[in-house]
Amino acid sequence: MAHTKVARTIPANDAVLKESPSEIKLIFPEVLKITALKLLDGQGKELTLEHDKSLKPIKEKIAFPPSLDAGTYRVIWRGISADGHPIKGQIIFTVSP
Ligand SMILES: [Cu+2]
């Protein structure tokens, strides 16, 4: 079965933000276990992203990034659907004060 990757994200994919986002939110169309969640800067360096790392099935994931300077960032996530299939995706956003 094919899985819709993500229903909605904050920031939206390709968003250009005037200020650093206070939170990053992923809203899924079905429950899944998030197994990995990373925030990378424009050079591909991983930044701290505070979030609950438990593997309980959820439909919404919230994470808290550090204060981000101007630049382009990537959020990469991986998960496992309720029927055991791996799902992954990413969002890219830009901070441009
Ligand atoms: Cu499936």
Side-chain angles (χ1 to χ4, degrees):
M1 153 186 166
H3 295 274
T4 306
K5 287 181 172 182
V6 70
R8 194 159 72 89
T9 66
I10 300 169
N13 190 39
D14 292 330
V16 178
L17 309 175
K18 294 248 183 289
E19 55 188 29
S20 179
S22 58
E23 64 180 30
I24 291 169
K25 196 179 214 180
L26 306 174
I27 301 162
F28 296 94
E30 57 186 332
V31 296
L32 77 168
K33 296 174 186 172
I34 297 289
T35 54
L37 181 64
K38 290 183 180 181
L39 173 64
L40 307 177
D41 71 10
Q43 282 72 49
K45 181 181 155 220
E46 186 172 352
L47 305 176
T48 308
L49 190 57
E50 282 183 40
H51 65 101
D52 176 0
K53 294 183 178 64
S54 83
L55 290 177
K56 69 173 187 274
I58 53 162
K59 281 186 86 170
E60 278 193 18
K61 181 74 181 174
I62 296 181
F64 302 95
S67 181
L68 302 176
D69 296 330
T72 297
Y73 297 88
R74 181 190 305 252
V75 177
I76 298 173
W77 57 268
R78 287 175 186 274
I80 299 174
S81 65
D83 63 3
H85 291 144
I87 317 175
K88 64 178 179 179
Q90 66 172 17
I91 58 174
I92 293 174
F93 65 88
T94 298
V95 177
S96 180

